[in-house]
Amino acid sequence: MKKILSVLTILTVLTAVSCQKSELKDVVNADNFFSVKQAAIASVNGPTTATVNQNVAFTVSWPYTGNCEKFSKFEADSLSDTTKIKLFTSTNIADDCTGKEVQHSSVYKFRAKKAGTYFLKFVGPDSNARPIVDTLTVK
């Protein structure tokens, strides 16, 4: 009887500890408060010419609602002379994000390793929307 009682006590303690550990992880993990999403791109402003191995900057603007949305990252996929660029923003869902709609922008940097014509396609989350395409001539 003592063996069964000891085993049940150990199982109960292990179950309680594992539940508390998982609940603590949810509270401590700050990533749970952030929501990351692909943003629609409103405009792109950048040069049309560059030289090989020159960093060129494109100012990418997106509309957002609320005062909590911030730039997160760019993701770029290149195939030959075309680069598809996506912009992602993050929002802290624990903050009060009420506010008027304003425009935000961030800088995307591009560097061509050889001369030619490059097409930078800035795409939004809506697959039916037309991407904004900038053409860059590299000499």
Side-chain angles (χ1 to χ4, degrees):
M1 182 74 166
K2 285 186 177 182
K3 273 187 171 179
I4 294 174
L5 197 53
S6 296
V7 170
L8 286 175
T9 304
I10 291 172
L11 287 175
T12 304
V13 169
L14 288 175
T15 304
V17 169
S18 68
C19 288
Q20 290 174 350
K21 199 176 203 180
S22 130
E23 291 169 1
L24 181 62
K25 181 181 177 188
D26 288 343
V27 172
V28 174
N29 188 356
D31 290 340
N32 289 340
F33 295 113
F34 286 93
S35 169
V36 177
K37 67 175 184 173
Q38 185 180 354
I41 297 175
S43 67
V44 178
N45 188 11
T48 57
T49 60
T51 58
V52 174
N53 288 323
Q54 174 189 8
N55 277 332
V56 287
F58 292 86
T59 302
V60 182
S61 300
W62 69 94
Y64 81 105
T65 55
N67 56 2
C68 295
E69 191 173 53
K70 295 179 174 85
F71 172 77
S72 178
K73 64 182 176 178
F74 286 108
E75 283 186 4
D77 294 320
S78 295
L79 181 63
S80 185
D81 60 355
T82 303
T83 301
K84 184 166 60 170
I85 301 118
K86 296 177 183 178
L87 179 137
F88 290 86
T89 58
S90 64
T91 304
N92 186 340
I93 58 176
D95 289 344
D96 178 18
C97 295
T98 56
K100 63 180 184 176
E101 188 170 325
V102 294
Q103 189 91 358
H104 262 312
S105 63
S106 189
V107 175
Y108 174 75
K109 293 183 181 176
F110 180 80
R111 178 189 290 218
K113 295 179 182 175
K114 62 180 184 174
T117 301
Y118 292 85
F119 303 98
L120 304 174
K121 293 175 113 180
F122 295 87
V123 298
D126 183 6
S127 60
N128 294 328
R130 283 187 165 179
I132 296 174
V133 180
D134 267 22
T135 304
L136 180 67
T137 304
V138 178
K139 299 177 184 179

